[in-house]
Amino acid sequence: MDNHPPSRHSFAVLTLSCALMACSSQSARRSTQTSTEGTQVVAAAMPKANGSAYEAADRVHLPKVEPEDHPSLHNVFALSKNIISGSEPHGEEAFAILKAKGIRTILSVDGKVPNAEMAARYGMRYVHVPIQYKGMNEDEVTKISKTFRELPGPFYVHCFHGKHRGPAAAALGRLVVDGLGREQAIAEMRQWCGTSKSYEGLYETIARTEVPDATITEALDFEFPAAHPLDGVPGSMVPIVRANDHLKDLAKRDFETDPAHPDVDALHEAGKIASLFEQASKLDSSDYGDDFRQWMQDAVRHSGELRDELQKMKDGAGDVEAAKRAFSGVAASCKACHGVYRN
Ligand code: HEC
């Protein structure tokens, strides 16, 4: 079965041999085969184990690798000559770096609509397939696999920070493009990219989801759109996380402006996040429970308190500890709500 196109038959054989051998990394390595079409046969799903997929990501021990970091591009890991994982590219400098690395296709799995125009100016094509922290569904797995099979590499794969969703999508690319074993792919997520234990769903996808073969991805009607805007609550989170990130950095400096980022002002960011939560609280939440609405109200209240306290500080009265308490309240509502509705 070394040299024929991927088919249901070869998939079944691989599944069987993998099951018999408990999917040792040796058998995973042996399943690294190229078909005559140049697409890899994807390694069979790992069997359901007692432990989590996150735990299984520690079975293969990888050498320690530090990410490449630039002011405009973070957490950059070249997983192979075909696939690089990292953060959202911030501005021209980032796209110039990616171009210099030979990247031809950029896949974003973040909620934010990417800057396809800027990428195009550097000769790179963007594909946008937003995914969730709880893992990829079949539709997303199929679209992402099709992207890896049919668009030209090398690929740069990113979410926002390049730690969780992006590395999972890059790992799917490792299975599809590089024919990597599943254990190795989840080990790279955990040991290199630092994908959190909290996102077991992402690990599960890479460890156990059936990846459709090339006949299925070829048949899928998907035009590789560069923009897939999210609406509703997931869409509302896209600007919230960006304001929140600025505030996190500023909180460490008692909300004093960082001379390295003079354009980022704590009061302005707090005003932004407070009004974003107010807008989010008015969205249709009928898909969610009462606890969701409570946490959303908490987020509205704490972000309003933060804004008011920072305003007082600007006027010479406020208290930095009170501002920090309000910000911790915001963080607690993100965490509580995501624990139930996102992760
Ligand atoms: C009341 C509930 C709630 C609160 C509070 C909340 N979120 Fe969310 N968040 C969600 C839901 C629901 C989703 C979508 C999950 C999904 O579709 O799987 C989401 C998605 C996200 C996403 C993913 C967006 C994307 O790119 O697809 C990010 C990032 C995020 N939230 C950040 C934050 C941050 C940061 C905070 C706090 C400052 C926060 N959220 C507060 C409910 C909440």
Side-chain angles (χ1 to χ4, degrees):
M1 87 192 163
D2 275 286
N3 265 314
H4 62 90
S7 64
R8 293 218 164 267
H9 174 67
S10 67
F11 188 78
V13 172
L14 278 170
T15 309
L16 183 63
S17 68
C18 207
L20 288 172
M21 301 168 87
C23 230
S24 69
S25 50
Q26 215 183 355
S27 70
R29 222 172 293 130
R30 217 173 298 141
S31 68
T32 304
Q33 300 163 341
T34 309
S35 76
T36 45
E37 288 166 349
T39 19
Q40 301 288 335
V41 175
V42 174
M46 288 170 66
K48 275 255 179 240
N50 295 329
S52 65
Y54 175 79
E55 283 161 20
D58 208 19
R59 279 192 217 144
V60 174
H61 289 280
L62 303 179
K64 194 157 174 49
V65 176
E66 292 298 328
E68 198 182 302
D69 220 57
H70 303 269
S72 60
L73 204 61
H74 310 284
N75 280 322
V76 179
F77 288 94
L79 303 176
S80 71
K81 65 181 192 325
N82 300 314
I83 295 178
I84 301 179
S85 169
S87 77
E88 172 185 315
H90 299 284
E92 302 269 353
E93 187 203 75
F95 289 103
I97 293 168
L98 294 177
K99 181 169 177 62
K101 289 182 183 298
I103 298 298
R104 294 182 65 196
T105 301
I106 308 178
L107 169 66
S108 169
V109 294
D110 184 52
K112 185 183 176 186
V113 171
N115 193 340
E117 230 170 81
M118 196 180 279
R121 271 193 268 127
Y122 288 84
M124 295 175 288
R125 174 172 188 173
Y126 243 121
V127 183
H128 187 207
V129 185
I131 65 170
Q132 270 75 55
Y133 285 85
K134 54 178 166 275
M136 294 173 221
N137 61 32
E138 194 184 331
D139 179 56
E140 291 155 358
V141 168
T142 310
K143 286 172 177 168
I144 292 172
S145 301
K146 182 178 176 79
T147 302
F148 283 123
R149 287 197 177 117
E150 297 176 22
L151 293 190
F155 297 89
Y156 182 70
V157 184
H158 75 83
C159 49
F160 179 37
H161 290 127
K163 289 199 75 175
H164 313 299
R165 293 167 298 167
L172 180 53
R174 293 281 280 142
L175 304 181
V176 169
V177 179
D178 294 335
L180 195 71
R182 304 268 189 156
E183 278 190 347
Q184 175 85 19
I186 55 175
E188 291 179 1
M189 288 171 65
R190 174 171 169 172
Q191 298 172 44
W192 286 348
C193 305
T195 305
S196 167
K197 188 181 181 195
S198 310
Y199 307 124
E200 173 67 10
L202 294 172
Y203 282 101
E204 269 283 321
T205 298
I206 300 309
R208 298 194 238 278
T209 291
E210 285 233 14
V211 178
D213 64 27
T215 43
I216 294 175
T217 47
E218 263 162 37
L220 179 75
D221 182 17
F222 175 63
E223 303 284 331
F224 310 108
H228 181 121
L230 296 181
D231 51 16
V233 173
S236 75
M237 294 290 149
V238 171
I240 285 176
V241 66
R242 282 160 178 80
N244 188 63
D245 260 34
H246 287 314
L247 287 164
K248 249 198 256 176
D249 290 341
L250 288 162
K252 291 184 204 133
R253 323 174 31 88
D254 291 346
F255 300 107
E256 298 279 348
T257 301
D258 184 347
H261 303 283
D263 52 325
V264 184
D265 171 71
L267 176 57
H268 179 73
E269 296 301 319
K272 216 169 13 181
I273 203 170
S275 73
L276 289 166
F277 272 124
E278 265 166 44
Q279 290 165 34
S281 72
K282 295 190 183 106
L283 293 169
D284 176 15
S285 62
S286 51
D287 287 350
Y288 306 100
D290 287 339
D291 49 356
F292 175 94
R293 284 177 282 279
Q294 184 56 54
W295 287 318
M296 193 59 98
Q297 284 314 317
D298 290 348
V300 170
R301 181 163 51 86
H302 292 301
S303 56
E305 286 164 1
L306 174 63
R307 175 201 54 210
D308 295 347
E309 203 58 39
L310 291 173
Q311 180 64 58
K312 279 194 236 158
M313 281 167 66
K314 193 153 253 179
D315 300 339
D319 168 9
V320 70
E321 291 311 318
K324 284 187 177 173
R325 271 196 303 279
F327 189 49
S328 302
V330 175
S333 51
C334 320
K335 196 161 180 247
C337 191
H338 291 166
V340 175
Y341 292 102
R342 195 189 76 172
N343 311 341

